């Protein structure tokens, strides 16, 4: 009985295993698919970034709206609410829009205190890369540690190529993510 009580007291004194949050913005579901792979590998909580007023369904209209938002520094109001305090690592996923960090992700960073957290960016893009998005995230993420990010090519919505995270591409992405997560540890 004493040994059981001792074991329980030692267990209670141990720090809790860190929790992960995976929060993501996805238009054509490619970033969402990557977020779900990360969740399956880490066991973290998954949250989609939703706007109070969604972007138009039309791709061109969204591109034009995002361009105006970036020019004006406008941060669209979010419906999504998170509680960063309960997490140690926060994965933030997004597509590259106009070679920049999407305005809704800037809204998320402005609305929440990520101080003392490890923030880990991940990205899907149309083959042009991350642009300035990871640098913008580092600049906007006050008092947090930004770890090495992950990026992969997703769809090319402007060319009518939408969801690509399936079949061989999904398997390849899962393997890349596993290697990336191992490097993060």
């Amino acid at each position: 009985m004493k040994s059981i009580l001792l074991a329980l007291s030692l267990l209670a004194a141990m720090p809790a295993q860190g929790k992960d949050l995976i929060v993501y913005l996805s238009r054509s579901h490619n970033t969402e698919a990557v977020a779900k792979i990360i969740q399956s590998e880490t066991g973290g909580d998954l949250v989609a970034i939703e706007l109070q007023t969604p972007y138009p369904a039309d791709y061109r209209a969204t591109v034009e709206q995002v361009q105006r938002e970036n020019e004006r520094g406008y941060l669209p109001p979010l419906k999504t609410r998170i509680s960063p305090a309960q997490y140690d690592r926060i994965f933030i996923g997004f597509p590259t829009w106009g070679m920049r960090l999407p305005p809704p992700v800037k809204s998320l960073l402005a609305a929440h205190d990520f101080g003392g957290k490890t923030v880990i960016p991940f990205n899907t893009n149309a083959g042009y890369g991350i642009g300035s998005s990871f640098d913008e995230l580092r600049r906007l993420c006050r008092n947090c540690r930004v770890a090495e990010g992950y990026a992969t090519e997703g769809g090319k919505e402007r060319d009518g190529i939408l969801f690509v995270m399936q079949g061989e591409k999904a398997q390849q992405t899962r393997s890349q993510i596993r290697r990336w997560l191992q490097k993060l540890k």
Side-chain angles (χ1 to χ4, degrees):
M1 183 68 164
K2 272 188 174 182
S3 62
I4 292 174
L5 290 174
L6 177 61
L8 287 173
S9 68
L10 288 173
L11 188 60
M14 291 175 63
Q17 188 72 5
K19 284 183 71 176
D20 291 334
L21 173 65
I22 303 107
V23 59
Y24 67 93
L25 175 70
S26 191
R27 181 172 165 85
S28 59
H29 305 288
N30 290 290
T31 308
E32 176 184 18
V34 171
K36 287 179 177 179
I37 293 170
I38 294 169
Q39 180 194 33
S40 73
E41 296 294 325
T42 66
D45 296 335
L46 190 66
V47 176
I49 298 173
E50 296 181 61
L51 286 83
Q52 285 183 5
T53 304
Y55 284 114
D58 179 73
Y59 171 73
R60 266 286 130 220
T62 297
V63 168
E64 291 169 7
Q65 181 176 335
V66 167
Q67 185 175 359
R68 286 190 307 274
E69 289 174 355
N70 280 328
E71 288 169 359
R72 294 187 351 238
Y74 178 74
L75 300 178
L78 302 179
K79 188 186 318 182
T80 301
R81 297 284 180 252
I82 59 171
S83 299
Q86 63 183 316
Y87 298 98
D88 295 323
R89 297 190 312 177
I90 301 169
F91 292 83
I92 301 178
F94 49 87
T96 301
W97 284 358
M99 299 307 289
R100 299 184 65 184
L101 190 65
V105 177
K106 294 176 193 176
S107 292
L108 180 84
L109 294 171
H112 297 89
D113 180 10
F114 293 102
K117 305 297 177 186
T118 297
V119 172
I120 308 165
F122 63 97
N123 169 274
T124 59
N125 58 74
Y128 295 116
I130 61 171
S132 64
S133 63
F134 284 10
D135 290 335
E136 285 182 88
L137 184 135
R138 277 186 201 87
R139 185 177 52 77
L140 295 172
C141 194
R142 300 171 301 277
N143 303 315
C144 65
R145 177 182 170 269
V146 178
E148 177 186 344
Y150 170 80
T152 190
E153 188 172 330
K156 293 177 176 70
E157 189 172 3
R158 70 179 176 278
D159 297 335
I161 302 168
L162 301 177
F163 186 67
V164 299
M165 294 295 162
Q166 51 196 346
E168 187 176 319
K169 175 67 174 172
Q171 291 173 344
Q172 175 189 29
T173 301
R174 182 176 294 279
S175 294
Q176 291 171 352
I177 288 171
R178 282 182 178 149
R179 287 192 299 275
W180 170 63
L181 291 171
Q182 284 299 316
K183 286 192 328 188
L184 290 176
K185 288 185 179 180

